Structures are given as structure tokens and as C-alpha cells.
């Protein structure tokens, strides 16, 4: 096959056939054609590598790992395409295993030696070959920029630690973190201290591990120290602090969590307590808003030449931040500013290329703290790190990463918490035991694709109660739709009354959510949304299944700067009191983050929303950063490359009180998914 395909006409035909079968994206095939038009003498194997490198970006990889591709050629393409639940069923000669059979790594690397297309680093070539990885230049440069920015901040951390007042830090930390009975080590307190003493830090932990609480107290600590500092005879000023998240939904959730935690935060014993409380921000924006995204471009208003006016930037749900966005953040961040990343290392990585957060904290569980780091942390916090987590050979990055190790959301008896832990550990045996005997907050069910009655029961009413459980309020979509009708204001209602009604509907809608894995197919977003709409219409809860109608939830899929909406924002279509002629007025209500009664709603004409999709069903990727009282995770009938341990874990942990996991395939599909890990190609830590 190597000899047969190593001719330009055969390779062009092959790439087009892959494109026709959706194994490659049209963009990948067009990129290959472009390179061949520009450089006609390029080796067919170079063009193949370029097409595959482009394709990897769409699958979340920053580059094409040549050796890994030759070792597992079938993983290089989207086989089968998303939503395709059956075997590919094509000529075996077209499959990548046959195409790459017999090709050696040395020969492939040799074919990439073209000075107009491939360089080993700096230059202007469209491709970069580094350490056996082939990059599109922009992503190689992003990786270099992120690595260099982190290294600069880590090198500055010892000086930052030395400048902090040990006594004041210990006193303030003691006030912010009173002793907790039964806890040997207060990891939230340690995380707070470590982040204060580093220009770059990561706080990772599972659901309910206290990341929000920790960052709130970190902000209080730094503001207390700043307001006490009068060095140079200058009056003390609070730090300029910004909180951000990758999506509008994640930002709204963090805003609510910060506001709730701030109301109950005790600052007794903290210097300048009232000034500290006033200096703690409670609004969270998206990264796009923070950086000043420019419509229809990849550029931002804030960059190295126009940096952010900020002393501390905290990014929540950082696992969702892709490589290119992370590079933009570092470019816009002043060298003197601290950056803190919050997130769960075990969740899905970003949809776009890169898995920056997961790669940076892959060693978090084992600590690897140097003795000097441990001594400093003990001096400022009074906490002692366990000897098993001490490593004299720990890297500089290890000293900036803390993992929170106790979940406050899921109790020891929580089925959701147990299932998440089992999936995360890859334990297929315990998974089968939970399937046979689910706890009260878990429900597993076989859901044949043609069982309309059982499907309707699940999406309309939340399904039957879990074994030993009870029907939770708000289960199923009936709840928010009935509330929408029952509480609809009269025609004389004030703007505040309309806004309060919209907020109640949005809150009710957010209590239950159907989640899925693929976008395409009967078990993907489009197929499920139509089936759910049909079920709700049959139940008399909505009056249409297509177009705009009261009750339709929508997801914004593209930033709409003119409307103040960002990718990931969710709204619900509502019917406002009409004119004297009795005409209805449809508006889509979005949460805008206001805290006072009557505020916090953005009303948008449906016709102004250019990029939205119905949101009865969301992919797990789109739901990341959100949580729901009851989540129903519907999985397809056949295995798929997108069904991975990380996807299951992320979907499971979207549920706060109740989880329903449904699939026509039974436990076997889950076990296979648990065994499959997401390993994204990258050279960030090399």
C-alpha cells in the first residue's frame, strides 16, 4: 500500500474519499489541496501528514504525533464519524491501518523535509516539526508562548513569597480558615497560601471540593494584605481583581456561587474587614468579554501592547480553556499579575485544540512538593504536608499546583459521588455492581430507541423514581413549562414582574437537563431535541415543535457581542402580554447576572438570534461548567470514540441530587467507555 499510495494522484483521491466519508473534515482536505497548489513537488506523505495534523485540531489535539499515529493508525481519523453508530463498512484498503502499513517513522520524517512547508522551529513555514510532532505553526507558537509565560511566572515566585509578611499571612489565614474537626490537613488553606505566593498557580479538585470557597478566601487574604501595605509612604489600595470563566453559563454559575459564599463569609479577625469585603468582586465575566473579543476575528482588544489593568486574574472551569485562548490570556496579562486557574483535572478538556489544564496538573495527586515549599507553607499556614507528598526532585510547576481532596457536595453515601469515583478510577467491576444495585440517587435504565412511552416518561416527568428514592421536585421538563404558564403575568404587569417571572422560569428550566455524547444521529443533539419536542407537544406542554414558540429553550452557539450574549448562554422563549389586538409577543429571556429584584434579565427578539439551537438536549461538552438538580445522561446504542472515561465523569458530575443514566446497550457500553481515555497530543510539558 505504501508504494501504491505514494503518488500524487492516488494520495489526492484517498484524501477526497476520506473527506466524502467524513473521516476528514472538508477543511482538512482543502488545506491539503492548498499546500499542493502552492508547492507541487511536496511529497504525498508530507501532504497526508499535513491533512492529519489539521484534522487533529478538530479532535482537540494540538499536533500530530507521528510515532503514535503509526502505532495506532485507526486513531488518526474520526472513525466512525460522530453519530454513526454502525461499522464503517468500507473497502479495507481505504482504512488508515492499510494506508500507513509498512511506512516507517524515519521515512515519514524524511518526507517532511521540505524547506518551504516544514521548519524545526522559528520561521514562516505553515508547518513545524518538533520532537516527532507536526504542528500547524499557529498552534506551535501558542504552545511556546504558554510554556514561556508559565516559566517566567514560576521563576518569579520565590521573590513573591519572600515579599509576603509571614506573620500577617498566618494570622489572616487562621481567621479565614478556622480549624475543622476531623481534618488532618486543610487543603483549602494550603491552596490559598500557595496561590498567594506564586505568580501562577492551579487549584484542582472534584465537584464540591471547595474551589469557589478557596478562591473567595484567597481574594480576601490578598486584599487584606494589600490594604495593610503602605510601603513607600503611599496609601494602601485594594488589588484590581477579575474573575472569569470560559462560557456564559459557567460565569453565571460562579457569580451566583461567589455571591452566596460572600454573604456568609466571616471576616472576624481579618484586618480592615469591611474594606476587604467591599473589595471582593462578585461579578464574573467570560474570557471573551474580559479580553475584548473582536467580532469575526481571532484578535482581542487586550494583548501584550494593551494589557489588562489587573493584579489578580482567576479563571474558573479552566479545563475548558483551549490552547489558543490560554495563549491570549497570558499575552494580555501584566507580568506582575497573579494568575490562578481553577478546575477539575478529570473533566473533559476544551472543545478546541489543547488540554492545557489537564496536562499542567497531571501530577497533582502525588504532590511532589519540595522540602523548602513545605517549610514555607507550614510557616505561613501552620499546616503540614504529608511526607508521602514530599519530593526533593519536584519540578517548579509542582510547587504551584494544589489538589483539593475532600468533596463537600457528595456525602459518603452519595451514589453520584461513588459512581463518579468508580468511573474516574476505571473500575469496571465496581461499575457493574452499582448498575445491579444503584443507590437512591441513581437510576440506570435500558432505553430502546423505539420505546416512545419510556422515553416520554423520562424527558417529560424525569422517569420513575430511583430505587429507594423519591420523585424530586422539578424532575422532567413538565415542571418549568407548567410554571411558565401558571405564573405568566397579566397584561398590566410591570417590567420588574416580567423579569421576576423570567428568572423563575430560567431557574426551573435549569433544574433538569438531558445530556448526550454525540452531536449527530438519533442519540445526538439534533435527534434528541426533535424527539423531546415531539414528546412535550404530545403531552400538551408546548404548542409547536419547530420554529419559535413559548417554552423553547435555546443555546447560543456563537458570540453575539451586539446582544451581550456569548457562546454557551442559555435562554427560554417566553410569550409576553400582547397588544390591544391580542397579538402575542415572543422574546427570549437570558440571565444577565443582576442581583436585585427585577434585574438580571436580557430580553432578545428571536429574529435577532443568528446562531442558536434548541437546548432540550445538550452535549456533555456544552454542559460543562453547569450543574443541575437532576441530569439525565442518554448514551447511544453502539460504542463510539467520543464515549470516554472523561466524558462519562463530566456528565455524571453535572448532577447535583439525582442522575439517570440511560442507554439501549446496557452495562457493556459503559464499561467499554470507562476503559477508553482521552490522551491529547501535545508538547507543552516536553
Amino acid at each position: 500500500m505504501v508504494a501504491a499510495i505514494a503518488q500524487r494522484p492516488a494520495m489526492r483521491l484517498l484524501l477526497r474519499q476520506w473527506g466524502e466519508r467524513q473521516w476528514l473534515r472538508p477543511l482538512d482536505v482543502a488545506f491539503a489541496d492548498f499546500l499542493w497548489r502552492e508547492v507541487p513537488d511536496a511529497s504525498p506523505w508530507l501532504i497526508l501528514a499535513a491533512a492529519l495534523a489539521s484534522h487533529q485540531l478538530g479532535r482537540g489535539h494540538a499536533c500530530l504525533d507521528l510515532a503514535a499515529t503509526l502505532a495506532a493508525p485507526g486513531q488518526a481519523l474520526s472513525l466512525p464519524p460522530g453519530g454513526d453508530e454502525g461499522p464503517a463498512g468500507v473497502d479495507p484498503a481505504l482504512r488508515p491501518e492499510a494506508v500507513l502499513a509498512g511506512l516507517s517513522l524515519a521515512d515519514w520524517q524524511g518526507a517532511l523535509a521540505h524547506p518551504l512547508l516544514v521548519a524545526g522551529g522559528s520561521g514562516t513555514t505553515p508547518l513545524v516539526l518538533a520532537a516527532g510532532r507536526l504542528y500547524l505553526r499557529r498552534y506551535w507558537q501558542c504552545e511556546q508562548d504558554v510554556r514561556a509565560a508559565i516559566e517566567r511566572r514560576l521563576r518569579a515566585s520565590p521573590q513573591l513569597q519572600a515579599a509576603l509578611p509571614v506573620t500577617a499571612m498566618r494570622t489572616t489565614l487562621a481567621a479565614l480558615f478556622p480549624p475543622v474537626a476531623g481534618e488532618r490537613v486543610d487543603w483549602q488553606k494550603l491552596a490559598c497560601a500557595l496561590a498567594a505566593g506564586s505568580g501562577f498557580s492551579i487549584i484542582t479538585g472534584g465537584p464540591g471540593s471547595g474551589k469557589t470557597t478557596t478562591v473567595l478566601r484567597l481574594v480576601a487574604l490578598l486584599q487584606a494584605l494589600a490594604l495593610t501595605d503602605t510601603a513607600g509612604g503611599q496609601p494602601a489600595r485594594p488589588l484590581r481583581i477579575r474573575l472569569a470563566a470560559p462560557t456564559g453559563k459557567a460565569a453565571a454559575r460562579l457569580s451566583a456561587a461567589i455571591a452566596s459564599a460572600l454573604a456568609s463569609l466571616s471576616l472576624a479577625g481579618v484586618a480592615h474587614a469591611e474594606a476587604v469585603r467591599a473589595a471582593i468582586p462578585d461579578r464574573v465575566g467570560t474570557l471573551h468579554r474580559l479580553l475584548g473579543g473582536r467580532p469575526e476575528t481571532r484578535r482581542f482588544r487586550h494583548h501584550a501592547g494593551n494589557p489588562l489593568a489587573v493584579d489578580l486574574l482567576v479563571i474558573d472551569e479552566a479545563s475548558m480553556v483551549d490552547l489558543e485562548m490560554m495563549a491570549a490570556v497570558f499575552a494580555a496579562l501584566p507580568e506582575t499579575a497573579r494568575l490562578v486557574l481553577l478546575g477539575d483535572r478529570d473533566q473533559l478538556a476544551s472543545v478546541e485544540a489543547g488540554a492545557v489544564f489537564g496536562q499542567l496538573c497531571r501530577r497533582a495527586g502525588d504532590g511532589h512538593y519540595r522540602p523548602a515549599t513545605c517549610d514555607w507553607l507550614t510557616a505561613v499556614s501552620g499546616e503540614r504536608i504529608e511526607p508521602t507528598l514530599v519530593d526533593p526532585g519536584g519540578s517548579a510547576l509542582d510547587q504551584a499546583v494544589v489538589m483539593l481532596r475532600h468533596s463537600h457536595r457528595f456525602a459518603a453515601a452519595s451514589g453520584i459521588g461513588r459512581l463518579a469515583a468508580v468511573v474516574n478510577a476505571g473500575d469496571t467491576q465496581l461499575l457493574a455492581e452499582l448498575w445491579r444495585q444503584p443507590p437512591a440517587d441513581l437510576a440506570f435504565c435500558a432505553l430502546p430507541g423505539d420505546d416512545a412511552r419510556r422515553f416520554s416518561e423520562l424527558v417529560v416527568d424525569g422517569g420513575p423514581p430511583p430505587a429507594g428514592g423519591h420523585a424530586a421536585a422539578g424532575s422532567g421538563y413538565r415542571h418549568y413549562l407548567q410554571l411558565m404558564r401558571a405564573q405568566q403575568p397579566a397584561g398590566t404587569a410591570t417590567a420588574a414582574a416580567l423579569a421576576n417571572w423570567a428568572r423563575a422560569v430560567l431557574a426551573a428550566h435549569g433544574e433538569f437537563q438531558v445530556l448526550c455524547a454525540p452531536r449527530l444521529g438519533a442519540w445526538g443533539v439534533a435527534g434528541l431535541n426533535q424527539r423531546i419536542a415531539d414528546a412535550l407537544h404530545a403531552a400538551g406542554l408546548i404548542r409547536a415543535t419547530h420554529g419559535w414558540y413559548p417554552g423553547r429553550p435555546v443555546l447560543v452557539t456563537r458570540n453575539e457581542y451586539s446582544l451581550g450574549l456569548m457562546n454557551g448562554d442559555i435562554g427560554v422563549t417566553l410569550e409576553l402580554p400582547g397588544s390591544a389586538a391580542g397579538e402575542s409577543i415572543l422574546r427570549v429571556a437570558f440571565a444577565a447576572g443582576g442581583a436585585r429584584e427585577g434585574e438580571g434579565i436580557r430580553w432578545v427578539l428571536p429574529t435577532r438570534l443568528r446562531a442558536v439551537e434548541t437546548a432540550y438536549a445538550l452535549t456533555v461538552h456544552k454542559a460543562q461548567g453547569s450543574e443541575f438538580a437532576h441530569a439525565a445522561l442518554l448514551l447511544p446504542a453502539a460504542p463510539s470514540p467520543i464515549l470516554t472515561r472523561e466524558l462519562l465523569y463530566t456528565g455524571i458530575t453535572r448532577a447535583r441530587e439525582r442522575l439517570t443514566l440511560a442507554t439501549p446497550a446496557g452495562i457493556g457500553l459503559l464499561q467499554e467507555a470507562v476503559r477508553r481515555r482521552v490522551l491529547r497530543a501535545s508538547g507543552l510539558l516536553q
Side-chain angles (χ1 to χ4, degrees), residues 54-406:
S54 172
H55 186 65
Q56 300 317 299
L57 295 174
R59 305 175 68 213
H61 301 280
C63 56
L64 175 72
D65 188 317
L66 299 177
T69 300
L70 292 175
Q75 302 299 314
L77 299 176
S78 299
L79 300 177
D84 183 357
E85 298 170 3
V90 298
D91 185 354
L94 292 177
R95 299 184 69 85
E97 297 93 326
V99 172
L100 294 172
L103 180 66
S104 70
L105 178 60
D107 288 342
W108 205 0
Q109 289 180 319
L112 300 181
H114 197 298
L116 296 179
L117 293 180
V118 184
S122 60
T124 59
T125 59
L127 300 166
V128 174
L129 181 63
R133 303 180 186 90
L134 186 66
Y135 295 82
L136 271 65
R137 176 165 292 281
R138 182 170 75 246
Y139 292 90
W140 175 84
Q141 190 61 60
C142 287
E143 199 170 84
Q144 300 300 304
D145 292 345
V146 169
R147 182 193 299 115
I150 292 174
E151 289 175 349
R152 286 196 305 272
R153 281 177 161 75
L154 293 177
R155 284 196 298 270
S157 292
Q159 291 76 28
L160 192 60
Q161 289 181 6
L164 291 171
V166 173
T167 301
M169 274 196 66
R170 186 156 181 156
T171 300
T172 307
L173 284 170
L176 291 169
F177 295 91
V180 178
E183 286 195 11
R184 293 190 302 170
V185 179
D186 191 336
W187 282 101
Q188 293 186 34
K189 189 177 184 180
L190 282 171
C192 195
L194 187 142
S198 181
F200 170 78
S201 57
I202 292 175
I203 301 173
T204 184
S209 57
K211 296 186 292 292
T212 301
T213 301
T214 302
V215 78
L216 183 65
R217 295 177 183 180
L218 168 64
V219 170
L221 167 67
L222 292 175
Q223 291 292 31
L225 296 177
L227 290 168
T228 304
D229 184 11
T230 56
Q234 298 297 317
R237 69 166 181 84
L239 298 177
R240 299 166 298 178
I241 297 175
R242 300 294 297 273
L243 310 176
T247 67
K249 188 72 172 179
R253 191 170 73 85
L254 182 60
S255 289
I258 289 285
S260 176
L262 185 57
S264 60
L265 176 65
S266 173
L267 295 178
V270 175
H272 313 288
E274 292 308 311
V276 167
R277 188 179 298 277
I280 298 176
D282 61 356
R283 295 293 183 93
V284 184
T286 65
L287 284 174
H288 275 88
R289 287 193 180 106
L290 174 73
L291 297 178
R294 295 178 174 177
E296 313 303 332
T297 76
R298 293 177 175 268
R299 298 183 177 181
F300 297 97
R301 187 172 70 255
H302 291 289
H303 46 74
N306 181 31
L308 293 163
V310 64
D311 300 306
L312 168 65
L313 173 61
V314 178
I315 301 176
D316 193 27
E317 298 292 348
S319 64
M320 301 168 63
V321 182
D322 62 87
L323 177 61
E324 194 171 12
M325 176 59 79
M326 192 67 77
V329 168
F330 276 113
L333 200 63
E335 289 293 327
T336 56
R338 292 177 174 88
L339 174 63
V340 180
L341 303 182
L342 303 178
D344 186 345
R345 65 171 186 169
D346 298 312
Q347 287 189 19
L348 284 166
S350 59
V351 176
E352 304 297 329
V356 179
F357 186 84
Q359 291 164 4
L360 291 175
C361 55
R362 65 185 182 182
R363 286 160 52 100
D366 296 325
H368 299 284
Y369 298 114
R370 298 168 183 169
T373 302
C374 297
D375 292 343
W376 183 82
L377 287 172
T378 298
V380 300
S381 72
E383 299 290 326
R384 294 190 177 277
I385 291 179
E386 301 164 10
T388 56
L389 302 179
V390 180
D391 178 7
S395 69
L397 177 61
D398 293 330
Q399 316 314 301
V401 181
V402 178
M403 186 171 81
L404 305 180
R405 301 164 187 264
H406 177 69

Side-chain angles (χ1 to χ4, degrees), residues 414-480:
S414 166
I416 299 172
R418 287 170 58 193
L419 179 61
V422 165
V423 167
N424 205 20
D427 194 325
T428 56
Q429 183 176 347
L430 285 178
L431 178 62
E433 292 178 8
L434 281 174
W435 178 276
R436 288 192 298 269
Q437 293 184 317
D441 56 346
L442 288 181
F444 299 105
C445 65
L447 190 64
D450 58 354
D451 193 334
R453 180 193 62 79
R454 188 175 295 182
F455 180 84
S456 178
E457 181 182 57
L458 173 59
V459 301
V460 176
D461 295 306
H470 58 86
S475 288
Y477 287 130
R478 181 188 300 275
H479 173 61
Y480 92 90

